[in-house]
mmCIF file of all heavy atoms in Angstrom:
data_model
loop_
_atom_site.group_PDB
_atom_site.id
_atom_site.type_symbol
_atom_site.label_atom_id
_atom_site.label_comp_id
_atom_site.label_asym_id
_atom_site.label_seq_id
_atom_site.Cartn_x
_atom_site.Cartn_y
_atom_site.Cartn_z
ATOM 1 N N THR B 28 4.162 -0.021 -13.218
ATOM 2 C CA THR B 28 4.799 0.645 -14.339
ATOM 3 C C THR B 28 3.671 1.586 -14.869
ATOM 4 O O THR B 28 3.874 2.739 -15.091
ATOM 5 C CB THR B 28 5.239 -0.287 -15.368
ATOM 6 O OG1 THR B 28 6.163 -1.180 -14.884
ATOM 7 C CG2 THR B 28 5.753 0.391 -16.581
ATOM 8 N N SER B 62 -23.384 9.124 -1.762
ATOM 9 C CA SER B 62 -23.172 9.378 -0.273
ATOM 10 C C SER B 62 -21.903 8.588 -0.007
ATOM 11 O O SER B 62 -21.495 7.654 -0.573
ATOM 12 C CB SER B 62 -24.287 8.898 0.547
ATOM 13 O OG SER B 62 -24.394 7.376 0.740
ATOM 14 N N GLY B 67 -18.501 3.702 -0.081
ATOM 15 C CA GLY B 67 -17.900 2.520 0.806
ATOM 16 C C GLY B 67 -18.328 1.226 0.413
ATOM 17 O O GLY B 67 -17.558 0.379 0.095
ATOM 18 N N ARG B 69 -19.676 0.311 -2.545
ATOM 19 C CA ARG B 69 -19.262 0.121 -3.826
ATOM 20 C C ARG B 69 -17.889 -0.438 -3.935
ATOM 21 O O ARG B 69 -17.400 -1.206 -4.691
ATOM 22 C CB ARG B 69 -19.374 1.303 -4.761
ATOM 23 C CG ARG B 69 -20.816 1.699 -4.851
ATOM 24 C CD ARG B 69 -21.054 1.843 -6.541
ATOM 25 N NE ARG B 69 -22.512 2.171 -6.682
ATOM 26 C CZ ARG B 69 -23.125 2.109 -7.856
ATOM 27 N NH1 ARG B 69 -22.433 1.649 -8.951
ATOM 28 N NH2 ARG B 69 -24.297 2.462 -8.034
ATOM 29 N N LYS B 74 -17.308 2.663 5.528
ATOM 30 C CA LYS B 74 -17.852 4.080 5.193
ATOM 31 C C LYS B 74 -16.978 5.100 5.656
ATOM 32 O O LYS B 74 -16.881 6.241 5.249
ATOM 33 C CB LYS B 74 -19.254 4.221 5.721
ATOM 34 C CG LYS B 74 -19.325 3.975 7.346
ATOM 35 C CD LYS B 74 -20.752 4.217 7.849
ATOM 36 C CE LYS B 74 -20.746 4.100 9.403
ATOM 37 N NZ LYS B 74 -22.112 4.321 9.921
ATOM 38 N N ALA B 77 -14.205 5.555 3.313
ATOM 39 C CA ALA B 77 -14.795 6.311 2.175
ATOM 40 C C ALA B 77 -14.961 7.748 2.452
ATOM 41 O O ALA B 77 -14.603 8.564 1.665
ATOM 42 C CB ALA B 77 -16.106 5.687 1.674
ATOM 43 N N VAL B 85 -13.042 16.399 -1.712
ATOM 44 C CA VAL B 85 -13.800 17.664 -1.534
ATOM 45 C C VAL B 85 -12.766 18.884 -1.407
ATOM 46 O O VAL B 85 -12.817 19.905 -2.067
ATOM 47 C CB VAL B 85 -14.835 17.619 -0.432
ATOM 48 C CG1 VAL B 85 -15.392 18.925 -0.053
ATOM 49 C CG2 VAL B 85 -15.918 16.689 -0.864
ATOM 50 N N ASN B 102 -25.236 13.415 3.001
ATOM 51 C CA ASN B 102 -24.615 14.452 2.300
ATOM 52 C C ASN B 102 -24.514 13.906 0.837
ATOM 53 O O ASN B 102 -24.022 12.960 0.651
ATOM 54 C CB ASN B 102 -23.137 14.557 2.733
ATOM 55 C CG ASN B 102 -23.108 15.492 4.011
ATOM 56 O OD1 ASN B 102 -23.989 16.285 4.252
ATOM 57 N ND2 ASN B 102 -22.135 15.340 4.888
ATOM 58 N N ARG B 103 -25.166 14.686 -0.027
ATOM 59 C CA ARG B 103 -25.052 14.230 -1.389
ATOM 60 C C ARG B 103 -23.870 14.758 -2.095
ATOM 61 O O ARG B 103 -23.381 15.963 -2.195
ATOM 62 C CB ARG B 103 -26.281 14.940 -2.155
ATOM 63 C CG ARG B 103 -26.692 14.123 -3.294
ATOM 64 C CD ARG B 103 -28.231 13.951 -3.516
ATOM 65 N NE ARG B 103 -28.909 15.241 -3.727
ATOM 66 C CZ ARG B 103 -30.153 15.275 -3.973
ATOM 67 N NH1 ARG B 103 -30.923 14.216 -3.775
ATOM 68 N NH2 ARG B 103 -30.779 16.399 -4.243
ATOM 69 N N ASP B 112 -12.617 16.452 -15.325
ATOM 70 C CA ASP B 112 -11.461 16.768 -16.111
ATOM 71 C C ASP B 112 -10.241 15.790 -15.793
ATOM 72 O O ASP B 112 -9.825 15.166 -16.734
ATOM 73 C CB ASP B 112 -10.960 18.235 -15.849
ATOM 74 C CG ASP B 112 -11.710 19.345 -16.485
ATOM 75 O OD1 ASP B 112 -12.555 18.952 -17.365
ATOM 76 O OD2 ASP B 112 -11.495 20.453 -16.168
ATOM 77 N N VAL B 113 -10.062 15.664 -14.513
ATOM 78 C CA VAL B 113 -8.912 14.720 -14.128
ATOM 79 C C VAL B 113 -9.204 13.297 -14.555
ATOM 80 O O VAL B 113 -8.373 12.698 -15.003
ATOM 81 C CB VAL B 113 -8.577 14.923 -12.665
ATOM 82 C CG1 VAL B 113 -9.707 14.155 -11.704
ATOM 83 C CG2 VAL B 113 -7.258 14.305 -12.380
ATOM 84 N N PHE B 121 -3.631 6.936 -19.531
ATOM 85 C CA PHE B 121 -3.594 5.450 -19.628
ATOM 86 C C PHE B 121 -3.566 4.908 -21.087
ATOM 87 O O PHE B 121 -2.935 3.972 -21.365
ATOM 88 C CB PHE B 121 -4.818 4.815 -18.790
ATOM 89 C CG PHE B 121 -4.319 4.791 -17.242
ATOM 90 C CD1 PHE B 121 -5.061 5.430 -16.231
ATOM 91 C CD2 PHE B 121 -3.305 3.879 -16.839
ATOM 92 C CE1 PHE B 121 -4.595 5.279 -14.986
ATOM 93 C CE2 PHE B 121 -2.989 3.682 -15.518
ATOM 94 C CZ PHE B 121 -3.701 4.445 -14.491
ATOM 95 N N GLU B 122 -4.434 5.600 -21.763
ATOM 96 C CA GLU B 122 -4.594 5.057 -23.158
ATOM 97 C C GLU B 122 -3.241 5.365 -23.929
ATOM 98 O O GLU B 122 -2.811 4.455 -24.656
ATOM 99 C CB GLU B 122 -5.659 6.067 -23.847
ATOM 100 C CG GLU B 122 -6.625 5.359 -24.704
ATOM 101 C CD GLU B 122 -7.109 4.113 -23.948
ATOM 102 O OE1 GLU B 122 -7.739 4.217 -22.984
ATOM 103 O OE2 GLU B 122 -6.959 2.910 -24.465
ATOM 104 N N LEU B 124 -0.357 5.217 -22.464
ATOM 105 C CA LEU B 124 0.646 4.158 -21.997
ATOM 106 C C LEU B 124 0.359 2.820 -22.615
ATOM 107 O O LEU B 124 1.312 2.069 -22.997
ATOM 108 C CB LEU B 124 0.534 4.029 -20.466
ATOM 109 C CG LEU B 124 1.092 5.282 -19.722
ATOM 110 C CD1 LEU B 124 0.659 5.232 -18.166
ATOM 111 C CD2 LEU B 124 2.581 5.472 -19.799
ATOM 112 N N LEU B 132 4.725 -4.475 -28.171
ATOM 113 C CA LEU B 132 4.419 -5.888 -28.007
ATOM 114 C C LEU B 132 3.612 -6.219 -29.256
ATOM 115 O O LEU B 132 3.612 -7.515 -29.686
ATOM 116 C CB LEU B 132 3.433 -6.002 -26.868
ATOM 117 C CG LEU B 132 3.465 -7.245 -25.915
ATOM 118 C CD1 LEU B 132 5.003 -7.380 -25.353
ATOM 119 C CD2 LEU B 132 2.513 -7.109 -24.822
ATOM 120 N N GLU B 141 -4.401 -9.431 -22.558
ATOM 121 C CA GLU B 141 -5.677 -8.771 -21.888
ATOM 122 C C GLU B 141 -6.608 -9.895 -21.906
ATOM 123 O O GLU B 141 -7.254 -10.123 -20.745
ATOM 124 C CB GLU B 141 -6.190 -7.679 -22.592
ATOM 125 C CG GLU B 141 -5.230 -6.273 -22.422
ATOM 126 C CD GLU B 141 -5.630 -5.178 -23.257
ATOM 127 O OE1 GLU B 141 -6.257 -5.394 -24.354
ATOM 128 O OE2 GLU B 141 -5.441 -4.109 -22.829
ATOM 129 N N VAL B 145 -8.348 -11.345 -18.376
ATOM 130 C CA VAL B 145 -9.770 -11.565 -18.210
ATOM 131 C C VAL B 145 -10.248 -12.836 -17.817
ATOM 132 O O VAL B 145 -10.902 -13.171 -16.879
ATOM 133 C CB VAL B 145 -10.529 -11.006 -19.464
ATOM 134 C CG1 VAL B 145 -12.004 -11.214 -19.342
ATOM 135 C CG2 VAL B 145 -10.327 -9.481 -19.563
ATOM 136 N N LEU B 147 -8.539 -15.115 -16.339
ATOM 137 C CA LEU B 147 -8.062 -15.535 -15.097
ATOM 138 C C LEU B 147 -8.753 -14.795 -13.872
ATOM 139 O O LEU B 147 -9.030 -15.323 -12.988
ATOM 140 C CB LEU B 147 -6.492 -15.105 -14.961
ATOM 141 C CG LEU B 147 -5.619 -16.207 -15.831
ATOM 142 C CD1 LEU B 147 -4.265 -15.655 -15.763
ATOM 143 C CD2 LEU B 147 -5.746 -17.474 -15.280
ATOM 144 N N PRO B 155 -15.174 -1.746 -11.059
ATOM 145 C CA PRO B 155 -14.336 -2.184 -10.006
ATOM 146 C C PRO B 155 -14.873 -2.396 -8.650
ATOM 147 O O PRO B 155 -15.032 -1.578 -7.861
ATOM 148 C CB PRO B 155 -13.238 -1.018 -9.933
ATOM 149 C CG PRO B 155 -14.018 0.218 -10.524
ATOM 150 C CD PRO B 155 -14.966 -0.380 -11.476
ATOM 151 N N GLY B 165 -8.591 -7.593 4.778
ATOM 152 C CA GLY B 165 -9.874 -7.466 5.438
ATOM 153 C C GLY B 165 -10.948 -6.822 4.615
ATOM 154 O O GLY B 165 -10.711 -6.061 3.751
#
Side-chain angles (χ1 to χ4, degrees):
Chain B
T28 303
S62 73
R69 291 240 181 189
K74 61 178 181 176
V85 168
N102 280 334
R103 201 133 74 175
D112 284 350
V113 73
F121 272 113
E122 227 45 60
L124 291 170
L132 220 56
E141 288 169 331
V145 169
L147 290 172

